[in-house]
Amino acid sequence: MESIKEGRTVNVLLQSSIRHNGQAAEKHELKAIGLVVEKAGKTYLRFEEDLNGQQVKTTVKLQEDDALIMRSGAVQMRLPFTPGEMRPGTYGNGPATFDLIVKTTKLEVTENQFIAHYELHAEGALLGIHELKITYTEGQS
């Protein structure tokens, strides 16, 4: 029997779409093996991705009223999601780090899916409109 601390292994499918002003949407897809972990009454999804030969660890706090995506490794990122609110976040790549504002327009968390629609702003300018869908299921993909 699996320990709650160790979590359960899941197949992760991340699909994202980014629209920049006046441009067609950029679509990205990532498949990974992840872990769903319960900690202090909260549920987290953890997985790793290879970004141009460098590892990026991602943790998603799966909470419908106060979600969070944290990435560390080749990319440093902290994106908080609270529906209808603008929250401060950060993005870093190498020595450069940028302050962001995350405006969440939609947030849905179900038993095996995380959906966030949000705008990213920096220095008063809209960087892009993002749609993120993460599906995580047990078993073979």
Side-chain angles (χ1 to χ4, degrees):
M1 188 166 136
E2 286 185 359
S3 160
I4 291 178
K5 279 187 177 248
E6 290 179 13
R8 59 189 167 94
T9 302
V10 292
N11 294 303
V12 178
L13 173 62
L14 181 149
Q15 298 166 300
S16 68
S17 168
I18 305 167
R19 284 194 329 264
H20 300 285
N21 198 13
Q23 297 179 19
E26 291 177 34
K27 297 189 182 293
H28 303 276
E29 186 172 291
L30 166 76
K31 291 182 179 179
I33 301 297
L35 205 58
V36 173
V37 178
E38 302 283 334
K39 186 175 176 184
K42 310 246 185 292
T43 304
Y44 298 87
L45 171 65
R46 294 183 178 147
F47 59 92
E48 288 188 26
E49 64 184 285
D50 184 299
L51 190 65
N52 301 322
Q54 298 183 35
Q55 293 303 305
V56 177
K57 293 181 181 181
T58 300
T59 300
V60 183
K61 179 181 168 189
L62 301 168
Q63 196 169 322
E64 199 159 312
D65 59 346
D66 183 26
L68 179 67
I69 294 179
M70 295 171 287
R71 298 174 80 199
S72 63
V75 170
Q76 301 287 326
M77 186 172 75
R78 185 178 187 283
L79 297 180
F81 301 102
T82 304
E85 290 188 18
M86 296 180 88
R87 304 263 316 267
T90 56
Y91 176 84
N93 190 339
T97 300
F98 304 95
D99 290 330
L100 301 171
I101 298 293
V102 181
K103 181 181 179 186
T104 307
T105 55
K106 176 180 180 179
L107 184 61
E108 290 180 15
V109 180
T110 61
E111 187 176 330
N112 65 346
Q113 201 167 71
F114 175 89
I115 297 173
H117 294 186
Y118 58 98
E119 297 175 1
L120 279 185
H121 298 259
E123 298 180 1
L126 175 63
L127 299 179
I129 298 171
H130 297 246
E131 294 183 6
L132 175 66
K133 178 177 166 184
I134 303 173
T135 305
Y136 46 99
T137 53
E138 293 184 61
Q140 299 300 320
S141 58

